[in-house]
Amino acid sequence: MTSSGTLTPVSTKDDDLSALPVVPARHPWRWVGVAFVLVLAAQFVHGLVTNPAWDWPTFARYFTAQSILTAVGTTIFLTVFGTVLGFALGIVVAVLRMSKSPFLSAVGWTYIWAFRSIPLIVQLLFWFNISYLYQRLSLGIPFGPEFVSFETISLISPMGAAVLGLALHQAAYAAEIVRSGVISVDRGQLEAAAALGIPRFRQFRRIVLPQAMRSILPNAANEVISLFKGTSVVSVMAIGELFYQVQVIYGRNARVVALLMVATVWYIILTTLLSIGQHYVERYFARGDRR
Amino acid sequence: MIEVLGVHKSFGSLEVLRGVSLNVAAGEVVVVLGPSGSGKSTLLRTINHLEKVNRGYITIDGELIGYRRRGGKLHELKEREILKQRKDIGFVFQNFNLFPHLTALENIAEVAELSDARHFLERVGLVDKASAYPRQLSGGQQQRVAIARALATRPKVVLFDEPTSALDPELVGEVLDVLRDLARSGTTMVVVTHEIGFAREVADRIVFMDDGVIVEEGPPEQVLDHPVHERTRAFLSKVL
């Protein structure tokens, strides 16, 4: 106690510290912050309820209207197919990109380069208009005879073009996400699998992928959610997904705000469901991490 | 059983193995000693073809590892064939390399039938930890699971790459006990280690490596107590 002149000795023989009550530290500014945020939130909610411009009766009328529900279904359909096909192709592209063969690796790299370079909306319009470019598609020997051929326009419907565009676009991003997950797995894991003589494909499926999933999942969930909202760009192809449908309706009745809210609330609900799903899937893949 | 002949291995311009030859008989326990950077681990990793050699060759039970001889040439084997050869060569890593997302039992069951996997877990005394994940086990327990996993492919030889170097001192004993049991049961083993006491007790032969070559070899009492070579003496004076 000699060096700290202003301090008195904290304990003496006949003074038992363990008997004293403990007073937690106070944080008054935190309460100021809470009050500030609560006032703002109250104002916002008050505005939502009292401002007639939000037009809640119209919102209620359309929120579960058949046309909107159908459009929600279309949005989900596009998201599911975009995700499943996108990630399936993405895994293939990632494997190519990581291949020891310089040629295959270059193919993977080029795919990612190309589809990340072209804006999604441009790509969608391109697929939508593919039949201007190639009227007929055929199967046959390259530069030789054809066996079967199709009218492009009958083979690739607007919906098909939308799914194709979303999936090809998604695959480029999915490939990089998968690759980032795979390279995050410790090298020793592959060595152990190799030393045990586990076949190559099984190494990937049983050892590498489950561990890579830990870092793939948060990024993949981001991608799925962003694709889910990103499906609204296919409204440029006049496909009746959620955003296109509300535009059609407010174009007719001019209730812009109420209908945008219909779309917004649906997007929020479905994104929330995806986030909850993400939580459980991540928990599954974290099972070796539990104590 | 194991025949290593004139093996050279370089990483870039660094020559790590400079002509190593070694024979290990069936049931023999060979302990490889040497300072770090002497090429001990690399030698071990060339035996199961985790590292490709630049010159020389390795056979196990007369079978060439990683190559096939045809018409006066050595043809590199396909990865699938190499993986199959590795089932004959157990390998235990310094830092265990258990699969963290699988339980102890699942780690072994990855390469064996479930009942077999349980048997091997029993053999290292960890059957009560069957459903524990690696993170829930101590380092010593993890290494024992890793040994059980290496045994599960019923290899002809087992290679140990500094199996106790990553362990806290009080956990080394339980792993050495398992190694002792294996040695007694007639398993052919090559062990790279710094545990001199263990080497003296268990090894049939000690091989001392330095600077990419085998400097001297012989029974423990000869190499440890009456080393011929100056480099061996210098090394032993530091670790004993």
Side-chain angles (χ1 to χ4, degrees):
Chain A
M1 288 299 137
T2 49
S3 60
S4 49
T6 56
L7 290 181
T8 51
V10 286
S11 165
T12 58
K13 263 186 204 131
D14 36 31
D15 184 16
D16 182 9
L17 283 190
S18 62
L20 300 178
V22 174
V23 182
R26 308 273 188 215
H27 302 282
W29 283 104
R30 286 188 193 169
W31 290 105
V32 174
V34 169
F36 181 72
V37 171
L38 281 180
V39 168
L40 280 185
Q43 273 186 310
F44 179 66
V45 172
H46 180 256
L48 280 182
V49 175
T50 56
N51 184 344
W54 286 105
D55 198 3
W56 294 112
T58 307
F59 172 89
R61 186 142 33 89
Y62 281 104
F63 186 65
T64 53
Q66 189 54 49
S67 60
I68 292 291
L69 292 182
T70 309
V72 168
T74 305
T75 291
I76 293 175
F77 172 87
L78 287 168
T79 308
V80 168
F81 275 81
T83 302
V84 171
L85 295 175
F87 271 84
L89 181 58
I91 290 176
V92 174
V93 174
V95 169
L96 287 178
R97 175 95 161 75
M98 291 182 289
S99 165
K100 278 181 201 146
S101 145
F103 172 74
L104 293 180
S105 175
V107 171
W109 186 89
T110 308
Y111 180 92
I112 293 166
W113 167 77
F115 281 90
R116 285 202 307 199
S117 305
I118 308 168
L120 177 57
I121 194 162
V122 174
Q123 208 207 119
L124 285 169
L125 288 170
F126 174 80
W127 288 113
F128 189 53
N129 294 306
I130 187 97
S131 56
Y132 289 120
L133 211 51
Y134 300 101
Q135 272 93 35
R136 306 178 60 78
L137 294 176
S138 61
L139 276 177
I141 295 163
F143 308 107
E146 294 175 2
F147 301 140
V148 274
S149 75
F150 311 92
E151 295 284 330
T152 305
I153 207 153
S154 65
L155 194 67
I156 302 178
S157 63
M159 196 65 169
V163 169
L164 191 64
L166 289 173
L168 291 176
H169 172 81
Q170 199 53 50
Y173 290 90
E176 286 295 84
I177 289 173
V178 169
R179 191 171 70 91
S180 80
V182 169
I183 58 183
S184 76
V185 175
D186 181 35
R187 253 186 71 84
Q189 292 291 308
L190 277 178
E191 277 193 348
L196 287 163
I198 298 172
R200 201 55 197 281
F201 181 71
R202 198 179 150 87
Q203 283 183 22
F204 186 72
R205 193 174 57 83
R206 293 274 308 162
I207 311 297
V208 177
L209 210 51
Q211 296 185 60
M213 284 308 264
R214 298 284 324 268
S215 62
I216 290 176
L217 275 170
N219 294 319
N222 259 350
E223 281 298 310
V224 175
I225 288 169
S226 119
L227 175 66
F228 167 62
K229 289 174 298 178
T231 53
S232 54
V233 305
V234 310
S235 59
V236 299
M237 299 157 78
I239 287 172
E241 48 72 53
L242 185 54
F243 187 62
Y244 179 79
Q245 196 58 45
V246 300
Q247 281 180 306
V248 167
I249 297 171
Y250 71 59
R252 218 163 45 216
N253 66 11
R255 311 275 183 144
V256 179
V257 171
L259 279 149
L260 285 179
M261 280 309 285
V262 167
T264 304
V265 173
W266 272 115
Y267 282 124
I268 290 174
I269 288 174
L270 293 170
T271 303
T272 307
L273 292 179
L274 282 172
S275 303
I276 293 170
Q278 176 190 1
H279 170 76
Y280 284 101
V281 177
E282 279 185 20
R283 204 172 67 167
Y284 172 77
F285 281 103
R287 63 197 186 281
D289 222 23
R290 261 175 263 151
R291 282 258 170 199
Chain B
M1 176 64 84
I2 309 178
E3 191 187 4
V4 177
L5 208 109
V7 162
H8 288 251
K9 172 70 187 174
S10 306
F11 295 109
S13 60
L14 181 71
E15 198 170 26
V16 184
L17 297 179
R18 303 186 297 136
V20 175
S21 297
L22 176 71
N23 279 296
V24 181
E28 197 181 10
V29 178
V30 171
V31 168
V32 183
L33 299 178
S36 55
S38 59
K40 317 180 292 284
S41 289
T42 307
L43 171 66
L44 218 55
R45 292 163 61 86
T46 58
I47 294 178
N48 76 342
H49 210 65
L50 276 180
E51 305 289 354
K52 229 185 265 184
V53 302
N54 300 113
R55 197 135 57 85
Y57 65 85
I58 289 141
T59 66
I60 298 218
D61 242 3
E63 187 186 355
L64 202 53
I65 298 299
Y67 301 91
R68 178 183 296 118
R69 188 177 176 174
R70 207 166 47 199
K73 283 181 186 164
L74 291 185
H75 294 262
E76 233 177 87
L77 292 184
K78 293 232 168 66
E79 182 158 346
R80 188 160 34 87
E81 300 168 294
I82 294 170
L83 287 168
K84 218 169 136 206
Q85 287 188 329
R86 291 213 184 101
K87 288 194 180 292
D88 286 340
I89 313 167
F91 199 100
V92 175
F93 295 88
Q94 180 176 349
N95 34 21
F96 333 134
N97 288 340
L98 289 181
F99 306 132
H101 60 298
L102 300 177
T103 64
L105 188 65
E106 287 167 345
N107 259 278
I108 305 170
E110 202 54 41
V111 289
E113 296 292 325
L114 205 58
S115 58
D116 268 3
R118 202 170 284 282
H119 159 78
F120 284 109
L121 210 48
E122 211 164 323
R123 190 152 167 202
V124 296
L126 283 174
V127 85
D128 56 321
K129 297 285 183 188
S131 54
Y133 286 100
R135 273 195 61 155
Q136 299 160 333
L137 300 173
S138 73
Q141 290 169 335
Q142 288 188 52
Q143 190 60 298
R144 282 151 69 194
V145 174
I147 293 172
R149 188 178 68 175
L151 295 174
T153 58
R154 300 188 185 277
K156 294 175 181 164
V157 302
V158 188
L159 313 175
F160 296 85
D161 188 7
E162 305 202 19
T164 58
S165 295
L167 297 177
D168 289 337
E170 79 271 23
L171 302 176
V172 169
E174 58 182 280
V175 172
L176 293 184
D177 283 344
V178 172
L179 262 65
R180 237 172 246 128
D181 274 355
L182 285 176
R184 238 174 262 138
S185 71
T187 313
T188 310
M189 296 160 63
V190 180
V191 187
V192 170
T193 185
H194 293 291
E195 298 288 334
I196 306 288
F198 170 80
R200 182 190 297 280
E201 177 195 348
V202 176
D204 296 311
R205 183 154 48 107
I206 288 182
V207 169
F208 177 74
M209 281 185 78
D210 193 15
D211 205 16
V213 292
I214 292 177
V215 175
E216 72 175 282
E217 56 181 302
E221 50 277 13
Q222 182 197 316
V223 176
L224 295 179
D225 301 330
H226 309 286
V228 186
H229 212 282
E230 183 49 43
R231 279 192 279 180
T232 319
R233 264 183 240 138
F235 174 76
L236 289 173
S237 71
K238 269 181 237 156
V239 295
L240 279 180

